[in-house]
Amino acid sequence: MTENTEKKLSPLCRTIEQDGKIIRVEIYQDVDGNWLLEVYDEFNNSTAWEDAFESDQDALFEIEATVREEGIDCLIGPVDGGLT
């Protein structure tokens, strides 16, 4: 997406909390109509899925399954964003 283009966010965007940790889930549509998934932790580190999803609901299912199966810690990066 270009810098001038606004993301078309899904109404399914949300925050998820587990074990006192919070992630912000952004699901947005690309120019081809596919849905992209990106997660931000409390330190503003991001994790983006490389593959697009056919629907925003599919993207939400993916993040919910990831948190359930792997735990929220797999989506939490370093406090300093890796800058040391």
Side-chain angles (χ1 to χ4, degrees):
M1 295 194 155
T2 65
E3 300 224 3
N4 296 345
T5 306
E6 285 190 42
K7 293 179 183 178
K8 179 182 177 189
L9 292 173
S10 164
L12 299 179
C13 295
R14 64 191 61 209
T15 58
I16 296 176
E17 182 176 357
Q18 183 184 66
D19 301 329
K21 298 172 184 166
I22 297 173
I23 56 172
R24 185 177 80 241
V25 177
E26 286 193 5
I27 302 168
Y28 52 93
Q29 204 166 31
D30 67 14
V31 294
D32 297 322
N34 296 308
W35 292 91
L36 306 175
L37 174 60
E38 192 165 4
V39 175
Y40 295 88
D41 68 14
E42 60 193 284
F43 310 113
N44 211 33
N45 298 303
S46 74
T47 303
W49 273 244
E50 289 184 19
D51 296 325
F53 299 87
E54 288 187 27
S55 72
D56 55 348
Q57 186 65 60
D58 288 342
L60 181 61
F61 286 153
E62 174 68 22
I63 189 60
E64 289 175 338
T66 298
V67 170
R68 183 176 55 254
E69 294 168 11
E70 299 180 35
I72 201 166
D73 285 330
C74 75
L75 299 165
I76 305 292
V79 174
D80 62 3
L83 303 174
T84 53

